[in-house]
Structures are given as C-alpha cells and as structure tokens.
Amino acid sequence: MKNILVTGGAGFIGSAFVRRMVQAHPEYTIIVLDKLTYAGNLDNLLPVNNAPNYAFEQGDIAHRDVVQRVLETYDIDTIVNFAAETHVDRSILAPDAFIQTDVVGTYILLDTARQLGIQRVHHVSTDEVYGSIPEGFFREGDLLEPNSPYAASKAGAEMMLRAYHVTYGMYTTVTRGSNTFGPYQYPEKVAPFFITEAIDNRSLPLYGDGLQVRDWLYVDDHADAVEVVLQKGAPGAIYNVGGEHEMHNIDVTRFILKVLGKPESLIKHVEDRPGHDRRYALTNDKIRAELGWQAQHNFEEAMTATIRWYQDNEWWWRKIKTGEYLDYYKAQYAERLANAGSG
Ligand code: NAD
Ligand code: TYD
C-alpha cells in the first residue's frame, strides 16, 4: 500500500479519514477523487491543502474515463470508497442520484480497478443495509433488509463488492458504520442540523414521537476503524463498526439543547419520515475479536466538543445554509413545520 485513492474525500467522514492519513502517514500518498456535490466541501480539506503527500481531483466515480485517468496518473494501488449520496430524506424525495453514484459508481470503480489490476478496495457502508431491529444486535451474517432508497443503494454496492471478490478474487473489505457525528458534517444530518438551528433559536423538526433509536459513533472512531480494516481486514470480509451508544432521537435532541442552554420548546414533533427505521443496533464482536478495534470516544464528551465546534466555526456552516440548502429545507420541512405539534 503506497498510493491510496480516497473517493468522497471532501465529505464529512472521508475528509476526517484524509486529514488523519495525510498527517499520520507521510509514507502514503493520498489522492482524493470527489465530484463536489452539494455535500462535498474543499473547506473540509484545508488542513491538508499544502501537504506534500496529498492531491485533489474533482470528478465522478461513475465516469469510467475519469476513474481510469486518476488511477493511472497516480499509480494507485489501494482504493477507499467513501463517495456516495448519503441522506435518507433526499433519497426519498429523489432516488436517482443514489442509484447512479452508490450502485453504478461503485461498480465503475471496481471494474476499472479490476481492468488495471488493482486488487485492494475498501468500501464504506452503513448499518442501514440491515434495516430495523426491534431488539438485540445485528451481526455481519444477518439478512439485509434495507428500507430506504439510500439503504437499498448502499446494499446494492455491497453486493458488487462481494461479486468482485468471489468472481475476480479482488481483495475487498466492507465496514458498516453506525450514525456518525462530529465536526464538518453537512447540516442536513440530524446532529449538525439541530445544533445549527438551535444556535439560531429555530424550531427543531423531530420526526414522529422521537423514540427512534440510533447508535452513535464519533467521526474519528469511524475513520480509525476504516484505517484498521484497510491495514488488517481479511479479504472479502465485512465488519460492523458501532459506537456502542444507543440513544432515542429525542434524548440526542435534549442533550444538544442542554449543552447550548436552549429551551426544549424549540422541539416540534412533525410528520414522520416514510418507512422510518425504528432502531439500528450492531454488535462490534467481530471487529473487536479479529482486529482489536473499539471506539475510543465517550458520547457525552465527543458530542459536547462537536457542539462547541459548530459554535466556534460559523464560518464553515453559515455559507452552506444558503442557496440550494434553503430549497431542500423548504421541500423537506416547510409543510411539516406548518402542521407541527410541540413537545
Ligand atoms: P457526505 O455526504 O458528507 O460526503 C459524500 C462525499 O461524496 C461528498 O464529498 C460528495 O461530493 C462525494 N460524492 C458524491 N457523489 C459522488 C460521485 N458520483 N463521485 C465522486 N464523489 C461523489 O457523506 P459522509 O457522511 O461523509 O459519508 C461517507 C460514506 O460513509 C458514505 O458512503 C456513507 O454512505 C457512509 N456512512 C455514513 C454514515 C453517517 O452517519 N454519515 C454512517 C455510516 C456510513
Ligand atoms: P439522519 O441524521 O438523517 O440519519 P439516518 O437517517 O441515516 O439515521 O437522522 C437520524 C435520526 O434523526 C433518524 O431517526 C431521523 C431523525 N431526524 C429527525 O427526527 N428530524 C430531522 O430533521 C432529521 C434530519 C432526522
């Protein structure tokens, strides 16, 4: 492993992985390929901009000519695929881009790598491929029952990884991470959305009763798990990556309001997300036993530090919450909030 292509490296988790790898591993060259969709942001990569072992290329993983050029130009031997359309609510409003990037894009990446003889591909997937679990914890061999177009597209991508491992003998690995939070997260996901709305004393639209459960993972722990699996994961293997910190959405929301010193009257219970998964929960038994990985960050401390980061870095998020963001906000929330109840 020497020249590593990181797709989607201008996004939230991809950029955390790039910042970490560039700074901790001068022996690797890190090349980012990113389309710079609404979610891609070069500000996320400012800390590594001038590093000698880093380069950025704008382009689409679903375009074979682009992928081939980048793989050849930088003599890439390892690929880490973070690139994806990632927001469940957007996948409900408009699924096309999800199929195109998450399924077709992953296929083009794999197939171009295969043609050039590049064996090593790590794919960043999600716990959402399993669907909802009322009690207990998902294990890696469990049935996949994805419920949103986003989750289905991520499951489709995983199936391509499997096929390229079994059929062509490529050295693929997959991580299924849980709900990730931290600095530089696009403010459509619930944590940065609610934090930045609450800073401005605006309503927080909580879907349904707010008793849905998510498992929360700090972004540096997620990036760390990807690195560990990249270094030591077995060919063809899949690893759950959970934060081992389950919370009801309403309790995450209350925690954010408490740290910010804002009133709970900002919470508005709004019409639920269609097909909303009630609970996600994973066991980390496999990654812990086989690779010795476990999350290092405590939820309360990491979420408090994250909230402080958004308070201290308005330069980063205020300019995002303009233009297209406002169109999306209107489509997703205007009617819901107009019909909202308080909580
Ligand atoms: P993000 O939306 O912040 O970033 C996605 C990045 O991919 C952006 O920089 C975007 O420009 C880029 N991209 C999109 N389409 C592209 C294309 N066709 N070609 C090249 N680049 C493209 O996402 P994130 O939250 O950082 O998630 C990264 C990965 O981790 C995704 O694969 C996601 O499914 C997975 N994941 C996310 C979470 C989470 O809680 N955020 C949890 C588990 C897994
Ligand atoms: P989200 O950040 O979209 O992640 P995911 O759907 O991938 O888990 O949402 C996290 C949880 O918060 C999910 O149960 C939906 C809920 N949620 C709200 O209640 N209101 C919102 O405005 C958003 C964006 C999410």
Side-chain angles (χ1 to χ4, degrees), residues 48-273:
V48 294
N49 237 354
N50 298 319
N53 60 333
Y54 160 79
F56 180 85
E57 292 276 344
Q58 183 170 3
D60 190 331
I61 60 161
H63 291 169
R64 192 182 287 267
D65 52 340
V66 171
V67 173
Q68 183 171 340
R69 180 182 59 75
V70 172
L71 292 177
E72 287 180 334
T73 303
Y74 295 96
D75 195 18
I76 299 295
D77 49 56
T78 304
I79 299 173
V80 184
N81 183 29
F82 287 92
E85 290 290 336
T86 60
H87 194 41
V88 172
D89 291 320
R90 288 189 191 248
S91 84
I92 294 168
L93 293 173
D96 279 29
F98 289 75
I99 311 306
Q100 191 54 31
T101 287
D102 302 13
V103 183
V104 178
T106 302
Y107 154 68
I108 295 288
L109 206 54
L110 282 165
D111 200 58
T112 313
R114 175 184 71 85
Q115 285 183 335
L116 295 177
I118 299 166
Q119 289 288 316
R120 186 73 183 97
V121 179
H122 177 74
H123 177 74
V124 181
S125 190
T126 165
D127 61 358
E128 304 196 25
V129 296
Y130 291 116
S132 190
I133 187 165
E135 55 193 35
F137 302 92
F138 282 121
R139 297 188 169 274
E140 288 81 352
D142 287 349
L143 195 63
L144 302 190
E145 294 185 308
N147 291 320
S148 69
Y150 164 64
S153 70
K154 294 295 291 185
E158 281 199 29
M159 296 300 109
M160 293 310 300
L161 268 280
R162 178 183 165 84
Y164 273 66
H165 169 65
V166 173
T167 305
Y168 303 112
M170 282 174 68
Y171 183 169
T172 62
T173 45
V174 170
T175 42
R176 293 182 180 148
S178 62
N179 277 66
T180 306
F181 67 97
Y184 300 102
Q185 185 170 27
Y186 191 86
E188 66 188 351
K189 305 295 193 301
V190 76
F193 177 46
F194 281 9
I195 294 165
T196 57
E197 292 291 274
I199 287 172
D200 283 347
N201 303 307
R202 289 163 57 85
S203 298
L204 309 187
L206 190 66
Y207 296 152
D209 59 11
L211 295 179
Q212 306 83 2
V213 174
R214 295 293 183 267
D215 171 60
W216 289 94
L217 173 67
Y218 187 57
V219 65
D220 287 356
D221 284 327
H222 197 154
D224 184 48
V226 171
E227 184 185 342
V228 167
V229 172
L230 191 62
Q231 303 273 12
K232 301 195 284 188
I238 296 170
Y239 299 92
N240 286 345
V241 180
E244 301 189 316
H245 193 88
E246 285 183 52
M247 274 178 93
H248 289 116
N249 289 342
I250 192 155
D251 293 327
V252 174
T253 310
R254 287 186 177 132
F255 185 87
I256 290 169
L257 290 170
K258 190 165 155 238
V259 172
L260 288 173
K262 302 285 181 174
E264 290 192 8
S265 57
L266 289 180
I267 298 174
K268 304 291 173 207
H269 285 271
V270 300
E271 183 194 334
D272 210 347
R273 170 188 283 175

Side-chain angles (χ1 to χ4, degrees), residues 283-316:
T283 165
N284 282 341
D285 287 356
K286 182 176 176 182
I287 193 169
R288 186 182 293 116
E290 293 184 9
L291 306 182
W293 181 88
Q294 64 182 41
Q296 298 297 321
H297 291 84
N298 158 280
F299 175 86
E300 282 75 15
E301 283 170 21
M303 184 58 97
T304 302
T306 297
I307 293 165
R308 300 292 176 226
W309 187 87
Y310 288 95
Q311 283 184 301
D312 293 344
N313 289 279
E314 294 192 7
W315 69 273
W316 184 85

